[in-house]
Amino acid sequence: MRAGYALDGKAVCIADARHHAAAFLDRAHADHQLPVPAPARDVTQLVVSELVTNVLNYAPGPVLMELRINAHAVDIVVWDSDPTVLTARATDPDRIGQHGLEIVKAVTESLLTEQEPVGRGITARLALLEPPLVRGGKSGMRRTRSSPVRGRV
């Protein structure tokens, strides 16, 4: 299942994008019986918010967002007019602001930025069913049901 949204590029579109994401996940569950655990729903809305906020801060003009879901993952794709390929900055707890991509990278299975003919596309993939990983335990990583996705071991 997939759905696309054109956002106007104004500050209110961040909340609109989160609402679109929540409604999309509700439809996926209701219409296609896809499992959408509450943590996956919360993290999806967080990632949508961070990616759209980033676009509003650094790229002029409208924002396009596409949401895709299957039985295993949610893809969040955001396009904007800035041709610069994004990279998450190194972790710096003393830095004020500019932590959005760090957060997205930490809670997603993958994060990809690609140059497009008229800007860039950013794709974040979130696992739906895997118990997320967090730091801790004897092996250095342990599974938990309430923490955001950190990646695969």
Side-chain angles (χ1 to χ4, degrees):
M1 179 177 149
R2 67 177 16 170
Y5 309 92
L7 306 170
D8 64 12
K10 297 178 182 169
V12 70
C13 81
I14 300 166
D16 292 343
R18 282 194 307 269
H19 293 299
H20 288 312
F24 173 81
L25 294 174
D26 288 346
R27 276 193 321 276
H29 180 69
D31 297 350
H32 302 282
Q33 289 73 50
L34 290 171
V36 182
R41 180 186 171 95
D42 294 344
V43 173
T44 297
Q45 290 182 81
L46 170 67
V47 170
V48 163
S49 184
E50 290 297 335
L51 291 179
V52 173
T53 298
N54 191 65
V55 168
L56 293 180
N57 286 336
Y58 301 106
V63 182
L64 298 176
M65 179 176 74
E66 182 179 67
L67 302 171
R68 301 184 291 238
I69 189 170
N70 61 38
H72 308 288
V74 176
D75 286 342
I76 302 158
V77 187
V78 176
W79 290 276
D80 64 46
S81 61
D82 189 341
T84 307
V85 175
L86 293 178
T87 56
R89 296 180 71 176
T91 301
D92 179 357
D94 295 325
R95 184 178 67 240
I96 298 173
Q98 298 184 344
H99 294 280
L101 285 179
E102 283 178 56
I103 294 167
V104 171
K105 190 174 176 183
V107 300
T108 58
E109 205 173 65
S110 64
L111 179 64
L112 175 67
T113 303
E114 297 179 298
Q115 283 186 304
E116 301 285 346
V118 293
R120 66 181 167 211
I122 305 159
T123 303
R125 172 164 284 181
L126 301 165
L128 280 176
L129 299 178
E130 278 187 15
L133 295 171
V134 294
R135 303 252 176 239
K138 290 181 182 176
S139 67
M141 299 295 275
R142 64 182 170 81
R143 296 254 176 216
T144 180
R145 293 192 182 278
S146 61
S147 299
V149 175
R150 297 235 1 124
R152 294 189 189 273
V153 177

